[in-house]
Amino acid sequence: MRSWGNYPKVEHAAVIPLHWRHLGLPRIEGTMLPSGLARSYGDSCLNEGGTLLATAGLDRLIAFDRASGVLRCEAGMSLAQILQVAVPAGWFLPVVPGTSQVTVGGAIANDIHGKNHHAAGSFGEHVRRLELVRSDGTRRECSPDSETALFRATIGGLGLTGLVTWAELQLRAIASPAFEVETMRMENLEHFFALSEASAGFEYHVAWVDALARGGDAGRGVFIRANHSTVAEASQAPSDSHLAVPFDLPAATLNRHSVALFNAMYRARAPRHWREERVPYSRYLFPLDGVAHWNRMYGEPGFVQHQCVVPRADAPSRVRSILEAVAAAGDASFLSVLKVFGDREPAGLLSFARPGVTLALDLPMRGAQTLELLERLDTIVRDAGGAIYPAKDARMSPGTFRASFPRWGELEALRDPAFSSSFWRRVTP
Amino acid sequence: MSFERIVIFGATSAIAQATARRVAARGVRLHLVARDAAKLEAVRADLAARGATVTAAVADLDVTTHHAKLLDEAERALGGSIDAALIAQGTLPDQAACERDFTRVEAEIRTNFLGPASLASELANRFEPRGAGCIVAISSVAGDRGRASNYVYGSAKGALSIFLGGLRSRLHASGVHVVTVKPGFVDTPMTAAFKKGALWSPPERIARGIVAALEHGGTEVYLPWFWWPILFVIRHLPEAIFVRLKI
Ligand SMILES: Cc1cc2nc3c(=O)[nH]c(=O)nc-3n(C[C@H](O)[C@H](O)[C@H](O)COP(=O)(O)OP(=O)(O)OC[C@H]3O[C@@H](n4cnc5c(N)ncnc54)[C@H](O)[C@@H]3O)c2cc1C
Ligand SMILES: NC(=O)c1ccc[n+]([C@@H]2O[C@H](COP(=O)([O-])OP(=O)(O)OC[C@H]3O[C@@H](n4cnc5c(N)ncnc54)[C@H](OP(=O)(O)O)[C@@H]3O)[C@@H](O)[C@H]2O)c1
């Protein structure tokens, strides 16, 4: 079992597939951790030496009210599977990440956010109820008004409070499965903040950043904003993915030259004034899902993500420092994404998404040199009073974790004693 | 061909669930039969939420004397005669335990051969006078040749394949279809303990093949297709060589 970043590589004592939600937890020696589709990058979905409970077989719908958009399903159901059922009925998930290949359980455990955080908040805000199975044999139905503490701890709870067997979600109505997308070239960081401000009328917006640009060009890239289309048309089923990276490519495939070339080409295609187009939701929201196993482009050593959030006030200077540090190190981040989060109360005890500006970087794993760079980035984030995203992390220090999530002790108190993860043991030694 | 009323035996099987999901959104009527009430309810609710009209009945399909009654019940629940039936129940025996204790072999033959054959017979007798209907039963590539590692399962599935072949010939002129499904390795609860490799398929892939066979009047289908050439070779190896192979 590997996480999406293919780093770190650890062995598990067992991987037990679960198929029926009414059956209890398996009796095992040592600790267990639920596992979804392993789209987390680092070690938060791994449990070295322990057991993983593979939940992808818990993929049944329980109820779907097509009039109110309330959908209850088992926790191993993927967001792609939900959209297949919901979209033809005129409903959409209120929050989706950059891939549809994550489970409901995974979306809850990391309290994931999407390009619409400023408008819709995080995934956890739309969870009406969920069931938690604990190793003491109890089943707890948790919601905003019953078992509240356990509910808040489970949202963003990193799989540590027990096994989520099902959840009930409030979907949002759509008139069309398409998106109205506007794209424009972005010159620098100032431009990014100006465009974000000017795009309040758009439910979704995010920027792709050329992390190789320095000085006055820092922050140049492409700004993309969108709304659900209101033009009703026949719903299109997302096509199955046909492209795939069949095996790990040589680690040198993504180097600063190939990334520079890609960045230049990508930016050159973006216009100087808003280009408007109507596109299928899968192409706008999940462009990478078209190429299965794209993570293999990074080869055997794998890669690491670094996603941080810094408070809005001095975000421009902090983001600039981070981009400068990366560019100075000569490392090439292929997928660099910048977004302003909304001013919303986090839904969970340890939610990552919070008011501020978030920057996500992808870096090929080159050992000590990469780890040192990331440590420097962490220092910038900590000085700013920001946080690092556990879903993307494989190496932050316990100190950085505690600074990012000062309420971690409350989660530790509610953690199921039989549940643990490589990540949790690393950041709370 | 379009199917409106479908009955599924062993409906809690992973392959059966994946098959039912493929047709559920078309708004068909499904009647599900399985032996575990809690599992059956989970499957029923899933298919209903996907848009099918679903009824369900709990039954141990080893009890062949109840099969006629189960079909009466199914027709009542579906509100008319059955268009298609999927027979999916099965168990993977502990081969070593069967070698020590023949009563286990008898039980395995009951579940994997007698039960399915009884249901197929009962369905055939109802479909034949109508001159319509489709019987789909899940056998296995394991039934194509006896192997040291699982010949109890293999002989039950082999008997089922031959039974279905005969039934198909008997009903050929009447317009009733019989489909023998022969999956290779499928990643389901039945095979949870096995190490998975390149030859393994997800149940959804088998389901796609089953629905295609149902719609296009397949007869004997290897799923996925690459098992056909593999089994062609295995069936034609001389016995003198085959007995030495550790497969
Ligand atoms: C291409 C790509 C784009 C992404 N974009 C975004 C993005 O825009 N925003 C964002 O927030 N994230 C994003 N992510 C990260 C991803 O959304 C999260 O890592 C998500 O949690 C992965 O879900 P999963 O089903 O794969 O769970 P896993 O990675 O397998 O597990 C994640 C966590 O969920 C827990 N868990 C899983 N199932 C259960 C359960 N049933 N009960 C209790 N705990 C459970 C696990 O224990 C673990 O702690 C992206 C990832 C990729 C690969
Ligand atoms: N998986 C493979 O590799 C593979 C390969 C070739 C053929 N097959 C065949 O495919 C079919 C479906 O199996 P699967 O892979 O989907 O595995 P599965 O999920 O384990 O399904 C087997 C189902 O049969 C049911 N069953 C067993 N005995 C029964 C009885 N007496 N009465 C009623 N139901 C009974 C089981 O019910 P419970 O859950 O209540 O036990 C279970 O739902 C089987 O016939 C199997 O032999 C499988």
Side-chain angles (χ1 to χ4, degrees):
Chain A
M1 188 60 107
R2 298 272 183 267
S3 63
W4 192 248
N6 214 2
Y7 172 86
K9 301 173 175 48
V10 309
E11 295 303 325
H12 292 94
V15 179
I16 301 179
L18 306 182
H19 290 99
W20 303 100
R21 67 176 183 273
H22 64 279
L23 302 179
L25 296 173
R27 260 178 247 284
I28 55 143
E29 296 279 312
T31 64
M32 57 187 128
L33 181 75
S35 154
L37 288 169
R39 273 352 186 240
S40 299
Y41 283 73
D43 57 358
S44 68
C45 61
L46 301 175
N47 187 20
E48 185 168 14
T51 297
L52 283 183
L53 307 176
T55 63
L58 297 176
D59 66 349
R60 296 177 196 87
L61 281 174
I62 299 172
F64 178 25
D65 182 343
R66 286 170 169 74
S68 66
V70 174
L71 179 143
R72 197 187 321 165
C73 68
E74 293 179 346
M77 195 161 182
S78 74
L79 302 191
Q81 289 172 321
I82 291 180
L83 290 173
Q84 246 169 41
V85 176
V87 170
W91 295 96
F92 211 81
L93 283 160
V95 172
V96 295
T99 169
S100 62
Q101 297 304 313
V102 311
T103 64
V104 167
I108 292 173
N110 277 317
D111 191 18
I112 61 163
H113 57 270
K115 303 174 172 70
N116 62 346
H117 181 271
H118 60 283
S122 63
F123 194 87
E125 287 190 37
H126 309 274
V127 176
R128 291 161 50 99
R129 319 187 258 162
L130 57 81
E131 181 185 68
L132 204 57
V133 175
R134 307 262 297 182
S135 64
D136 61 8
T138 57
R139 286 177 181 265
R140 317 279 189 88
E141 194 174 312
C142 310
S143 73
D145 32 52
S146 80
E147 299 270 18
T148 320
L150 212 43
F151 183 71
R152 296 283 164 224
T154 299
I155 293 182
L158 299 167
L160 300 168
T161 58
L163 174 72
V164 177
T165 51
W166 59 259
E168 188 175 277
L169 314 173
Q170 175 64 59
L171 306 185
R172 56 102 70 216
I174 49 168
S176 154
F179 274 84
E180 305 288 345
V181 182
E182 298 189 3
T183 309
M184 180 160 129
R185 210 181 288 183
M186 183 171 89
E187 302 307 334
N188 50 36
L189 272 181
E190 287 67 40
H191 200 192
F192 165 76
F193 286 103
L195 289 173
S196 295
E197 207 116 298
S199 301
F202 289 78
E203 231 183 294
Y204 297 76
H205 59 70
V206 72
W208 165 84
V209 177
D210 177 355
L212 288 168
R214 306 185 64 168
D217 283 342
R220 84 173 168 212
V222 178
F223 195 94
I224 308 168
R225 61 191 192 183
N227 278 319
H228 286 278
S229 177
T230 52
V231 182
E233 53 187 296
S235 89
Q236 8 85 306
S239 62
D240 290 349
S241 157
H242 294 300
L243 295 174
V245 179
F247 44 75
D248 287 343
L249 293 178
T253 309
L254 284 185
N255 54 40
R256 60 171 301 147
H257 305 293
S258 60
V259 171
L261 186 67
F262 171 84
N263 287 354
M265 280 169 41
Y266 186 71
R267 224 174 81 80
R269 283 182 46 212
R272 290 191 184 284
H273 300 285
W274 294 113
R275 178 179 66 218
E276 299 172 20
E277 45 188 343
R278 182 174 306 150
V279 305
Y281 72 81
S282 50
R283 214 180 93 207
Y284 167 60
L285 291 170
F286 315 122
L288 290 168
D289 286 1
V291 186
H293 303 297
W294 61 261
N295 53 339
R296 290 175 178 162
M297 284 195 310
Y298 285 92
E300 220 282 319
F303 65 118
V304 283
Q305 265 231 350
H306 186 271
Q307 183 171 356
C308 66
V309 55
V310 290
R312 181 72 182 82
D314 55 352
S317 72
R318 306 293 184 172
V319 170
R320 183 181 306 283
S321 311
I322 294 174
L323 288 174
E324 280 300 330
V326 175
D331 252 318
S333 168
F334 186 45
L335 291 167
S336 316
V337 173
L338 196 54
K339 159 151 195 72
V340 179
F341 279 149
D343 282 327
R344 302 174 75 103
E345 192 66 22
L349 199 54
L350 259 65
S351 290
F352 163 73
R354 60 193 76 182
V357 175
T358 184
L359 172 66
L361 304 163
D362 261 2
L363 294 168
M365 184 60 202
R366 298 194 217 281
Q369 149 196 359
T370 309
L371 295 173
E372 280 160 24
L373 168 65
L374 293 171
E375 207 43 56
R376 288 201 290 281
L377 304 187
D378 281 6
T379 309
I380 300 172
V381 174
R382 282 180 70 168
D383 287 348
I388 306 291
Y389 193 7
K392 309 286 181 76
D393 180 69
R395 32 63 52 199
M396 78 168 110
S397 70
T400 298
F401 173 71
R402 289 168 195 204
S404 298
F405 300 95
R407 298 180 71 180
W408 70 274
E410 293 172 59
L411 175 61
E412 173 61 15
L414 289 169
R415 180 171 67 85
D416 186 306
F419 282 56
S420 181
S421 67
S422 293
F423 175 83
W424 197 248
R425 291 189 292 274
R426 178 165 63 76
V427 297
T428 65
Chain B
M1 252 177 277
S2 81
F3 299 92
E4 169 75 31
R5 300 186 191 85
I6 303 172
V7 55
I8 304 182
F9 298 99
T12 51
S13 120
I15 296 174
Q17 286 181 72
T19 307
R21 280 182 184 180
R22 280 193 86 81
V23 295
R26 303 180 190 170
V28 294
R29 284 166 173 271
L30 297 172
H31 182 69
L32 313 178
V33 186
R35 63 178 170 185
D36 184 309
K39 292 181 186 176
L40 183 58
E41 172 48 25
V43 176
R44 189 205 60 74
D46 174 61
L47 295 168
R50 286 168 195 272
T53 305
V54 197
T55 50
V58 178
D60 180 345
L61 295 171
D62 284 355
V63 188
T64 52
T65 48
H66 290 169
H67 286 180
K69 213 181 77 208
L70 286 176
L71 284 179
D72 292 342
E73 225 176 81
E75 284 170 349
R76 262 200 311 279
L78 291 169
S81 50
I82 298 163
D83 296 323
L86 173 65
I87 303 170
Q89 78 270 21
T91 46
L92 191 60
D94 176 340
Q95 169 71 25
C98 286
E99 287 167 14
R100 291 189 301 269
D101 176 3
F102 197 76
T103 59
R104 284 191 180 234
V105 178
E106 291 183 353
E108 294 297 343
I109 302 271
R110 175 158 288 282
T111 304
N112 291 299
F113 173 52
L114 294 177
S118 157
L119 287 169
S121 299
E122 190 63 45
L123 285 158
N125 293 348
R126 290 171 193 232
F127 288 175
E128 196 173 22
R130 276 172 42 212
C134 188
I135 303 167
V136 184
I138 308 184
S139 183
S140 170
V141 294
D144 277 17
R145 193 155 189 182
R147 295 185 297 139
S149 60
N150 75 343
Y151 63 84
V152 174
Y153 179 69
S155 57
K157 290 294 195 184
L160 179 59
S161 296
I162 293 175
F163 191 93
L164 294 168
L167 197 63
R168 178 160 43 245
S169 301
R170 178 191 133 194
L171 299 173
H172 179 68
S174 76
V176 176
H177 289 275
V178 178
V179 186
T180 310
V181 179
K182 293 184 175 181
F185 299 142
V186 193
D187 188 356
T188 70
M190 180 176 280
T191 52
F194 291 68
K195 262 216 149 43
K196 311 295 188 295
L199 289 175
W200 288 77
S201 302
E204 290 73 23
R205 180 145 186 214
I206 309 304
R208 207 190 312 152
I210 292 176
V211 173
L214 192 66
E215 286 174 338
H216 303 119
T219 52
E220 198 176 57
V221 290
Y222 288 83
L223 293 176
W225 62 269
F226 59 75
W227 286 98
W228 186 85
I230 295 175
L231 269 296
F232 183 86
V233 172
I234 290 181
R235 278 198 313 272
H236 290 87
L237 281 177
E239 193 67 10
I241 296 174
F242 194 71
V243 290
R244 288 163 214 265
L245 297 180
K246 296 266 175 292
I247 56 172

